[in-house]
Amino acid sequence: MSTPLDIRSTELSQRIGAPAPADARVSVRGLRVRYAPDAPFVLDGVDLDVHAGEVVALLGSSGSGKSTLMKAMTGFAPIVSGTATVGDVDVAHVRGRRLRALRAQVGQVFQQFNLIGRLPVLTNVLTGSLHDAGPLNLLGTFRSADRARALELLDRVGIAHKANDEARSLSGGQQQRVAIARALMQNPRVILADEPVASLDPAMSRTVLELLQSIARDEGIPVLVSLHVVPLALAHSDRIVGLRAGRVEIEGCTADLDESELASVYTDPARRS
Ligand SMILES: Nc1ncnc2c1ncn2[C@@H]1O[C@H](COP(=O)(O)OP(=O)(O)OP(=O)(O)O)[C@@H](O)[C@H]1O
Ligand SMILES: [Mg+2]
């Protein structure tokens, strides 16, 4: 059976149009984050790269710092030292307008989809083009070119036929695909997906992760995806980074890793002050 995921990359690039920017990459060096001056470091010297076209799976037990790492990359977690470079901008050293501009170039996907349920699917995707705009703009008119692109992206993720439905009427897997289309609407330099399949059944989890993989491969967009299910990480990433208590415990090509090696990520971390 043919699905939208079977479409060849050449056709995709014709349909999607804008290729990923040449500086689509993420580079984190020596990143230290803590939420209060006298609190322990939540991230304690993290190094991480996500290159154009690859999916990096982020593993780690609850509290190991996965979400904090993604928040730090968009300036929502307090960086004490180190760098977090998205494209050619170091998030640790930008504020105000430059930080907002950077955020507009980071496509984010969350466990709970974060769609506006009462609005049509197409409008939800279009909000990706208004990333830096106020809520009043949601009521305005969208350029026809944007609407055409949003429809293309919905076709890309396999749910163009739902364009006019209210977002809340879709299944979880369908809503996550809308969220991915919305992220693509931003022409992102990177996609950060924080537990995007945690609310989905196994089959839909695979579909969504396959979609993220094909987006990385075909559009050249780096994708960082946090996961709690090791076999899914092994099946749907190019590299794996395992965090334990805010430090990189393991890092390597997915093809070189197995479940037993990754188990070290989930052992009880030693207490540190
Ligand atoms: N806003 C905050 N203020 C204070 N502490 C926080 C804040 N956000 C996270 N933390 C703490 O930072 C640590 C790492 O949390 P984080 O959410 O990054 O972990 P995680 O790996 O994403 O966990 P999970 O798998 O449960 O989502 C935890 O100890 C958490 O309590
Ligand atoms: Mg988290």
Side-chain angles (χ1 to χ4, degrees):
M1 189 178 75
S2 176
T3 72
L5 301 185
D6 297 330
I7 298 166
R8 290 187 167 279
S9 61
T10 47
E11 295 169 35
L12 286 172
S13 53
Q14 283 166 10
R15 293 171 59 193
I16 300 294
D23 58 355
R25 64 177 178 270
V26 165
S27 176
V28 171
R29 290 291 175 273
L31 192 70
R32 303 186 89 201
V33 170
R34 63 178 166 194
Y35 285 100
D38 52 356
F41 282 99
V42 171
L43 298 179
D44 196 2
V46 169
D47 295 337
L48 173 91
D49 289 296
V50 192
H51 301 292
E54 71 173 356
V55 175
V56 174
L58 191 58
L59 294 178
S61 52
S62 192
S64 59
K66 302 179 300 297
S67 296
T68 297
L69 179 55
M70 294 198 185
K71 286 179 193 166
M73 288 177 188
T74 46
F76 285 111
I79 297 174
V80 175
S81 59
T83 59
T85 306
V86 177
D88 54 3
V89 178
D90 177 8
V91 182
H93 293 104
V94 291
R95 299 275 182 280
R97 194 156 43 93
R98 289 188 69 205
L99 180 57
R100 288 196 297 278
L102 179 132
R103 283 175 182 156
Q105 294 171 346
V106 177
Q108 290 188 270
V109 180
F110 303 95
Q111 176 180 348
Q112 294 305 333
F113 324 129
N114 292 10
L115 302 179
I116 304 171
R118 66 189 161 75
L119 291 182
V121 162
L122 185 70
T123 310
N124 271 279
V125 177
L126 281 161
T127 62
S129 65
L130 297 175
H131 195 267
D132 205 16
L136 274 181
N137 296 52
L138 296 181
L139 303 173
T141 53
F142 293 99
R143 291 184 305 143
S144 60
D146 285 339
R147 296 176 68 86
R149 178 164 167 71
L151 270 173
E152 282 175 4
L153 292 173
L154 280 173
D155 194 29
R156 168 72 171 94
V157 301
I159 46 172
H161 59 292
K162 297 284 186 183
N164 297 316
D165 293 9
E166 284 188 358
R168 62 187 168 194
S169 72
L170 271 57
S171 73
Q174 290 170 333
Q175 289 195 45
Q176 197 58 295
R177 285 189 269 171
V178 176
I180 291 169
R182 179 183 59 187
L184 289 171
M185 195 71 196
Q186 294 173 233
N187 289 323
R189 278 177 161 66
V190 58
I191 290 178
L192 304 180
D194 196 357
E195 297 193 37
V197 300
S199 305
L200 305 180
D201 68 33
M204 195 47 70
S205 296
R206 284 193 296 276
T207 301
V208 165
L209 291 173
E210 281 168 15
L211 179 60
L212 288 172
Q213 275 183 300
S214 73
I215 286 167
R217 191 178 57 234
D218 299 332
E219 268 72 66
I221 298 170
V223 175
L224 179 64
V225 54
S226 72
L227 296 168
H228 268 299
V229 181
V230 172
L232 284 179
L234 287 167
H236 297 289
S237 68
D238 301 295
R239 281 191 303 119
I240 292 178
V241 172
L243 285 183
R244 193 163 74 111
R247 296 185 176 177
V248 175
E249 173 76 13
I250 196 165
E251 192 275 330
C253 289
T254 305
D256 300 332
L257 295 168
D258 61 30
E259 271 195 69
S260 60
E261 286 171 287
L262 292 166
S264 65
V265 168
Y266 295 97
T267 57
D268 276 348
R271 284 179 66 86
R272 63 168 72 96
S273 56

